[in-house]
Amino acid sequence: MIGVGKAKQYANVLDKPLSRGRQEVSLSAFAFLFSELVQYNQTQVDNIAELERRLEDAGYAVGARVLELLCHREKGNRRETRLLGILSFIHSTVWKVLFGKVADSLEKGTEHEDEYMISEKELLVNRFISVPKDMGAFNCGAFVAGIVKGVLDNAGFPAVVTAHFVPIEGQQRPRTTILIKFAEEVLHREARLG
Amino acid sequence: MPPLTAPKSGDALFASVDRVNAELFTLTYGAIVRQLLTDLEEVEEVNKQLDQMGYNIGTRLVDEFLAKSNVSRCVDFKETADVIAKLGFKMFLGVTATVTNWDAEGTSCSFVLEDNPLVDFVELPDTCQGLQYCNVLSGVIRGALEMVSMKTEVTWVRDMLRGDDAYEMRVKLIKQVPEEYPYKDDD
């Protein structure tokens, strides 16, 4: 077989210089790939909740890596340790790198102390998606919710993260809200830190 | 009828389409491969599934390519290969490929990629040495060419993840399928 027995280009992937993250591919290339991800996962499940869980799982893998990459490259190896810090890191830094813009809004839930919401008028992954009627409230944003969860979990802020469509008045397309519900321990720790 | 326009250059073409950060693309692809490895267990099955996904993408992507690139019908397989290398790769992945190693009949050639946005951050663990990580790309080529009446076989011959010095895929033209009206009477 070709290649067997030859020395690798880099002995280790970590020896490779880290890219500056300026490289781009076409949005269609991503959209095609994402569509395959969704279609493949549809064949593996028999209900919507399971499909969302699997997309979230795929996103989680991305989030975990994005956290490590961006802390190293954008933050000089520093990681946020406070609740608002990590939220704004996601809303600004992570969003900017992944989606080319900061998220439209970051709000605190009015009814529950432990809930925060990141909203996006037109989430990149939903741009070419129209959900069939029989799939109800299914939202491909579950993938992005997974990314957010991946970042939060690995930064030490366990949370339940879900994606929801929220209709906006006068607009045909609803916006997507990523709802973050932090684990109790996170809020206790925040309270202790003052 | 709109005026006929010359094909765009690869750079102009890439500049004219919406783009996203390559890392989102790379990591999403990685997530797909990881899911497939967990679900299918056999590396060979993963290779097949990646190829199938690529094929699905290729059959759809070719429409967008033809609509946006202004290329006209290619006279032969050589021209087709050049268009894919210079415009196709560029329009979707922002990189170009080199076409080399033509056989005497002009029916098989190699695309060599030095830059490959799929593989940033990737290292094949010992358990996955048989994985054709970039199989989605060969699937795309096969799918896209099939939509323009060319049956091909696409295989990887060099892969940097396996220690080679470049990415090289071999495209072999099996046959040109004559164009037919696609619907039967009883459909």
Side-chain angles (χ1 to χ4, degrees):
Chain A
M1 208 159 59
I2 297 170
V4 169
K6 262 201 239 171
K8 288 205 171 173
Q9 290 304 89
Y10 293 97
N12 184 313
V13 72
L14 297 176
D15 292 339
K16 220 166 142 178
L18 193 61
S19 91
R20 306 225 322 279
R22 304 264 184 274
Q23 224 192 335
E24 290 181 310
V25 298
S26 81
L27 173 59
S28 328
F30 175 76
F32 280 127
L33 191 68
F34 186 69
S35 134
E36 284 303 317
L37 171 71
V38 177
Q39 288 181 60
Y40 164 73
N41 277 302
Q42 266 181 295
T43 66
Q44 302 291 306
V45 301
D46 32 51
N47 61 57
I48 303 297
E50 182 71 358
L51 178 57
E52 286 189 333
R53 196 199 58 71
R54 285 189 58 108
L55 286 183
E56 185 187 306
D57 181 53
Y60 188 95
V62 175
R65 287 157 179 83
V66 160
L67 173 72
E68 199 177 346
L69 174 66
L70 297 189
C71 282
H72 179 61
R73 190 171 62 201
E74 318 278 327
K75 292 278 175 188
N77 280 331
R78 290 168 63 88
R79 172 166 64 71
E80 300 292 340
T81 53
R82 298 302 299 268
L83 191 93
L84 286 181
I86 195 77
L87 282 171
S88 92
F89 171 74
I90 292 174
H91 163 270
S92 324
T93 314
V94 172
W95 234 258
K96 188 113 209 262
V97 169
L98 292 184
F99 306 125
K101 64 188 276 297
V102 298
D104 288 341
S105 71
L106 166 64
E107 296 160 283
K108 189 170 182 349
T110 43
E111 285 162 31
H112 302 281
E113 274 298 297
D114 56 353
E115 289 185 353
Y116 289 82
M117 295 166 296
I118 294 176
S119 297
E120 187 72 54
K121 221 171 109 204
E122 185 75 275
L123 194 66
L124 188 94
V125 300
N126 275 337
R127 186 138 154 212
F128 302 114
I129 304 270
S130 45
V131 179
K133 280 227 161 55
D134 61 343
M135 290 181 68
F138 170 67
N139 191 328
C140 285
F143 180 71
V144 178
I147 296 182
V148 172
K149 186 179 166 65
V151 172
L152 287 174
D153 250 14
N154 288 281
F157 294 83
V160 176
V161 187
T162 44
H164 307 273
F165 281 124
V166 179
I168 341 173
E169 244 176 274
Q171 296 272 341
Q172 222 182 359
R173 302 220 357 134
R175 65 176 183 181
T176 296
T177 293
I178 308 285
L179 181 67
I180 303 163
K181 194 175 174 62
F182 284 104
E184 227 172 296
E185 68 204 70
V186 175
L187 294 173
H188 286 168
R189 186 180 61 206
E190 273 299 302
R192 259 205 323 278
L193 288 171
Chain B
M1 225 176 97
L4 290 173
T5 35
K8 291 180 185 154
S9 75
D11 287 326
L13 193 55
F14 189 56
S16 72
V17 297
D18 284 342
R19 294 178 303 276
V20 292
N21 180 323
E23 283 166 352
L24 174 67
F25 179 75
T26 310
L27 292 172
T28 303
Y29 184 64
I32 293 178
V33 176
R34 193 187 60 91
Q35 269 196 337
L36 291 179
L37 282 168
T38 317
D39 294 343
L40 303 173
E41 289 165 13
E42 294 292 324
V43 166
E44 216 23 68
E45 288 301 310
V46 177
N47 289 343
K48 261 191 226 155
Q49 181 64 37
L50 288 174
D51 178 69
Q52 182 60 41
M53 286 175 158
Y55 177 84
N56 299 344
I57 294 175
T59 55
R60 298 168 65 197
L61 158 153
V62 68
D63 283 333
E64 185 179 349
F65 176 70
L66 294 176
K68 290 189 176 161
S69 65
N70 297 336
V71 295
S72 45
R73 180 174 289 272
C74 296
V75 295
D76 55 13
F77 188 54
K78 273 206 158 120
E79 192 184 342
T80 310
D82 274 335
V83 165
I84 294 174
K86 298 283 162 320
L87 299 179
F89 276 102
K90 187 79 193 179
M91 173 167 159
F92 292 99
L93 298 180
V95 299
T96 50
T98 325
V99 189
T100 60
N101 297 341
W102 279 102
D103 66 349
E105 294 84 42
T107 54
S108 67
C109 65
S110 289
F111 289 124
V112 177
L113 287 170
E114 260 140 55
D115 222 358
N116 180 349
L118 284 181
V119 298
D120 260 344
F121 318 122
V122 177
E123 193 170 49
L124 291 186
D126 289 340
T127 49
C128 296
Q129 287 301 317
L131 183 67
Q132 297 283 5
Y133 191 85
C134 303
N135 241 12
V136 75
L137 284 186
S138 38
V140 169
I141 303 283
R142 186 168 67 84
L145 284 176
E146 193 162 313
M147 289 300 114
V148 288
S149 315
M150 283 175 239
K151 274 255 181 227
T152 52
E153 232 172 52
V154 188
T155 45
W156 288 96
V157 290
R158 279 192 288 165
D159 183 342
M160 284 170 86
L161 293 177
R162 297 169 174 216
D164 300 324
D165 52 355
Y167 292 92
E168 174 177 349
M169 61 175 130
R170 190 92 192 135
V171 184
K172 183 172 171 23
L173 179 65
I174 309 290
K175 64 170 178 181
Q176 298 251 18
V177 187
E179 281 190 49
E180 283 171 27
Y181 190 61
Y183 308 108
K184 294 194 192 89
D185 282 340
D186 51 2
D187 274 349

